[in-house]
Amino acid sequence: MIWWLELALFGLLVVAALVALSVRDMIAAVATLSVYSFLAAVLLALMGAVDVALTEAALGAGVTGVLLVGAISVVDRRTPD
Amino acid sequence: MNDRYDSVILHFIARVVMAPLIIVFGLYVLLHGELSPGGGFQAGAIVAAALLLVRLALGNRQAALRIPQGLLIWLACIGLGIYMFGGILPLILGANFLDYAPIPVEWYNQFAGEHRTPRAMGILIIEVGVFLGVVAVLVLIYDLIAGSSRQ
C-alpha cells in the first residue's frame, strides 16, 4: 500500500534515535526524543494500533518531554560524555 | 519554568486556543472510549498535557494557584475510590468483583435516552476513575519537579 511512507518514517525514526543518543546538549536530546516518540506514534497509527498511538503521542511526545526538561533544569544542561 | 514569560501571543494561543481544544478532545476520548479507540488512560494523558501546556505558558507559580497540590492529591484518591466503587458495586449486587453484568442501567437509559448495556456502564465508571487518577498524578509529578528546580 503506502510501504514507502512507512519506510521513510522508519528511517527518520532510526535517525532521530541516533541523534538523540549522540548529541551533547541535553535539551536538544529531549527535543529529538520527542520527535522519535511522535514518529513512533504515527507508525503505530499507520499499523492500526490507534489506542497505543494516542498514548504514545500524548505521553511520549508531550508529557515526557516536559518532565525531562524539568529534570534537566535541576541538573547540568551539558553532558561531559 | 517557574516564572511567567510575558508574551500576548503565547498566552492567547496556549490558554484560549489550544488548551480548551485539547481538553474537549480528551473528554471525547474518555466518554467514547468503549466504542472508539481511547479510554481513561489516554484521555487522562491528553488532558494532563493540556494542563501542562498552560503551566508552561503561564509559569508554574501563577498556574499552580488555580489547582493547588492538596486538591490534586484528593483528585487522585477520588479516582481510586471511583475505581473501587465500580469494582465493589457488582460484588454488593451479587456478582463477582469487576463483573459489570448486574449494574442497574434502566434509570440512566431513561434519563439520557440511550441504550447502554450494563457492561458499557461499568467500563465508563472504571474509566472515569482512571481518568481522574492519571490527570492528577501527571500534573502532580510536574509540580513537584518544577518546584525543586533552580530557575
Side-chain angles (χ1 to χ4, degrees):
Chain A
M1 195 175 59
I2 40 174
W3 62 272
W4 50 270
L5 180 61
E6 293 189 15
L7 189 65
L9 281 173
F10 193 75
L12 277 176
L13 185 86
V14 174
V15 169
L18 290 178
V19 169
L21 277 178
S22 64
V23 79
R24 289 285 180 85
D25 195 352
M26 304 270 266
I27 300 283
V30 169
T32 330
L33 203 64
S34 292
V35 172
Y36 167 84
S37 283
F38 192 76
L39 288 173
V42 173
L43 272 174
L44 286 167
L46 277 178
M47 285 187 275
V50 188
D51 230 340
V52 191
L54 268 176
T55 313
E56 181 74 29
L59 275 184
V63 180
T64 308
V66 174
L67 292 183
L68 284 176
V69 168
I72 287 171
S73 73
V74 179
V75 299
D76 285 336
R77 181 172 169 178
R78 298 196 67 83
T79 169
D81 53 348
Chain B
M1 170 172 270
N2 282 325
D3 294 326
R4 180 191 176 97
Y5 182 76
D6 279 320
S7 162
V8 176
I9 298 173
L10 175 68
H11 289 179
F12 183 79
I13 293 289
R15 292 171 61 187
V16 183
V17 181
M18 293 297 288
L21 273 178
I22 300 175
I23 289 177
V24 166
F25 179 67
L27 290 180
Y28 163 74
V29 169
L30 170 69
L31 295 177
H32 229 246
E34 72 267 15
L35 298 177
S36 62
F41 188 79
Q42 284 84 9
I46 290 169
V47 172
L51 293 181
L52 293 192
L53 174 69
V54 174
R55 264 152 211 257
L56 281 178
L58 280 185
N60 197 33
R61 288 203 187 90
Q62 200 170 15
L65 292 179
R66 305 249 174 95
I67 310 177
Q69 276 187 15
L71 180 63
L72 286 176
I73 295 174
W74 271 104
L75 269 182
C77 296
I78 288 171
L80 187 64
I82 290 175
Y83 198 107
M84 289 300 291
F85 170 75
I88 291 179
L89 183 64
L91 210 58
I92 296 172
L93 294 175
N96 290 323
F97 186 65
L98 286 176
D99 182 11
Y100 312 124
I103 289 180
V105 288
E106 290 83 16
W107 62 273
Y108 176 79
N109 283 336
Q110 279 188 352
F111 171 70
E114 295 181 15
H115 298 288
R116 194 176 273 274
T117 61
R119 296 196 187 276
M121 193 69 193
I123 292 173
L124 183 66
I125 294 173
I126 294 292
E127 281 180 350
V128 167
V130 174
F131 169 78
L132 284 178
V134 170
V135 170
V137 169
L138 280 177
V139 177
L140 193 61
I141 290 174
Y142 171 78
D143 278 354
L144 290 177
I145 287 181
S148 66
S149 69
R150 284 176 301 193
Q151 283 90 16

